Amino acid sequence: MFEVRRRLLAIELKNLKSFQVAADYMNLTKAAEHLGYTQPTITLQIQLLEKEIGHKLFHRIGKQTFLTPAGNLLKQYTDKLMTVVQEMEEGLKQLDLPHGSLVIAAPEFYCSHYLSFIISDFLKAYPQINLRLVSCNSHDTIKMIAARTADIGIIAGACDSKEIEAILLKKEDLLLTAASTLTPENDLSFIFKNFPFISYQHSCNFTELVNSCLSNMTYSPSSIIELGSEETIKQAVINKMGIALVSEDLMKSEINSGAVTVLERFPNQVETSVIYLKSRAHEPAINSFSDLLQGVWDIQS
């Protein structure tokens, strides 16, 4: 009994595979062509297999080749074994492919102007991923990544968490903007005195950058309106609610069309980054989406 077990453990899978294909074709030449071997190699592998199990596997009667009783038995179990091996190989491959669910958190502007296009391409490449997009401000995106309620995020501004990897996608100038109809007859001092400054809520993670720009100006806003998202601030400026400091991309099309005027451009730049937990950097879905973002972000600008 021990000897039989020792022999079975010594059998190599490649020899079993060659036997299986040879038994399917009942022709060593065709089996060799199928496997990409030479016929002598197939013959040698089957001879080694016969030696290992102690039984002949094929016999010939005239020009016909048949399986011996041992060959028939081995073929039944080899078919089962190779099915399991194939399932195992496919399962291992899945570990290296993006699959499962992916939750992406990002501010509304990024969701509508960038991610809607990028996600479409991503799902074409990885249809086995179930994807969910969450719209929230940059500060809340960082909180969601830290809490693992989102897998990957896009933020404007800095991320100071040592547990989070932040990869720069782009740097943009900060612009002081207003609706063009406010500016022709009014100078900057008049605008600051008579129109509110539209700001991000204090939970926004680049509020300090905005405050730094304002501190370098001669004028101070007479009143401040805090809003929760970049898109809301954009619409408030367009609708003449007040003036705002925004990233260049946020207002690019409105500036180009003449609907919005740039009152001042600042040397300070706001960073756009993709973020995820450093401890999850090995996960295929996160890696694949991060790589795609880095490759196409500027193209989508």
Side-chain angles (χ1 to χ4, degrees):
M1 181 68 178
F2 175 78
E3 181 63 19
V4 172
R5 181 180 299 171
R6 186 189 67 78
R7 288 177 179 177
L8 289 174
L9 291 174
I11 295 174
E12 293 191 26
L13 284 176
K14 65 179 181 180
N15 292 345
L16 282 173
K17 184 63 179 178
S18 293
F19 161 73
Q20 182 191 38
V21 175
D24 286 336
Y25 282 108
M26 287 297 175
N27 185 298
L28 297 184
T29 301
K30 291 182 178 179
E33 290 174 356
H34 178 89
L35 293 169
Y37 296 148
T38 62
Q39 183 175 332
T41 299
I42 296 289
T43 301
L44 178 60
Q45 288 175 331
I46 291 174
Q47 288 173 347
L48 289 172
L49 189 56
E50 289 176 333
K51 183 178 180 180
E52 287 166 348
I53 66 174
H55 293 277
K56 292 287 291 183
L57 299 173
F58 296 94
H59 61 181
R60 291 179 62 86
I61 300 176
K63 295 183 178 182
Q64 298 293 314
T65 301
F66 299 91
L67 288 172
T68 64
N72 275 310
L73 182 64
L74 186 63
K75 179 65 164 61
Q76 293 176 33
Y77 286 102
T78 299
D79 287 344
K80 293 178 182 179
L81 176 61
M82 291 303 169
T83 298
V84 172
V85 169
Q86 183 178 355
E87 291 174 353
M88 178 185 68
E89 290 175 346
E90 290 174 354
L92 290 172
K93 287 179 182 178
Q94 288 299 318
L95 294 177
D96 298 324
L97 293 173
H99 64 283
S101 62
L102 186 70
V103 179
I104 304 166
E108 183 181 357
F109 175 72
Y110 295 148
C111 290
S112 58
H113 289 77
Y114 287 85
L115 292 179
S116 58
F117 303 101
I118 294 172
I119 284 172
S120 176
D121 290 338
F122 184 72
L123 290 179
K124 288 177 183 176
Y126 305 109
Q128 65 273 34
I129 290 182
N130 297 315
L131 193 146
R132 183 162 66 92
L133 182 60
V134 179
S135 176
C136 57
N137 63 39
S138 296
H139 180 78
D140 288 339
T141 295
I142 295 172
K143 290 173 62 177
M144 289 183 70
I145 295 297
R148 293 178 175 262
T149 53
D151 304 305
I152 193 166
I154 315 294
I155 61 167
C159 176
D160 298 326
S161 172
K162 294 181 179 179
E163 296 179 349
I164 293 177
E165 186 73 46
I167 300 172
L168 180 66
L169 295 175
K170 189 173 184 179
K171 286 186 176 181
E172 300 173 59
D173 289 344
L174 276 174
L175 312 177
L176 183 64
T177 59
S180 296
T181 53
L182 295 183
T183 58
E185 299 177 1
N186 303 321
D187 60 23
L188 199 55
S189 61
F190 180 89
I191 291 172
F192 263 92
K193 182 178 179 180
N194 293 278
F195 294 96
F197 179 75
I198 303 167
S199 177
Y200 297 90
Q201 290 178 342
H202 289 303
S203 61
C204 174
N205 68 317
F206 65 95
T207 301
E208 290 184 7
L209 184 59
V210 173
N211 290 338
S212 173
C213 292
L214 289 176
S215 67
N216 292 328
M217 297 187 65
T218 306
Y219 310 108
S220 298
S222 57
S223 61
I224 296 176
I225 300 174
E226 290 187 357
L227 300 177
S229 73
E230 290 89 344
E231 189 65 27
T232 307
I233 291 174
K234 174 181 177 178
Q235 294 304 319
V237 171
I238 293 171
N239 292 321
K240 310 173 192 177
M241 186 182 295
I243 59 176
L245 262 172
V246 298
S247 62
E248 186 170 14
D249 270 2
L250 184 67
M251 288 290 192
K252 181 181 290 184
S253 60
E254 287 73 24
I255 292 170
N256 290 338
S257 69
V260 170
T261 295
V262 178
L263 302 175
E264 189 155 342
R265 184 182 292 267
F266 295 87
N268 311 62
Q269 289 188 312
V270 59
E271 298 180 352
T272 299
S273 303
V274 54
I275 63 170
Y276 50 82
L277 284 174
K278 292 179 179 178
S279 61
R280 303 185 64 188
H282 64 283
E283 296 183 22
I286 290 176
N287 268 326
S288 298
F289 195 73
S290 175
D291 288 345
L292 178 61
L293 288 174
Q294 293 173 64
V296 305
W297 193 263
D298 276 343
I299 298 173
Q300 298 292 337
S301 299

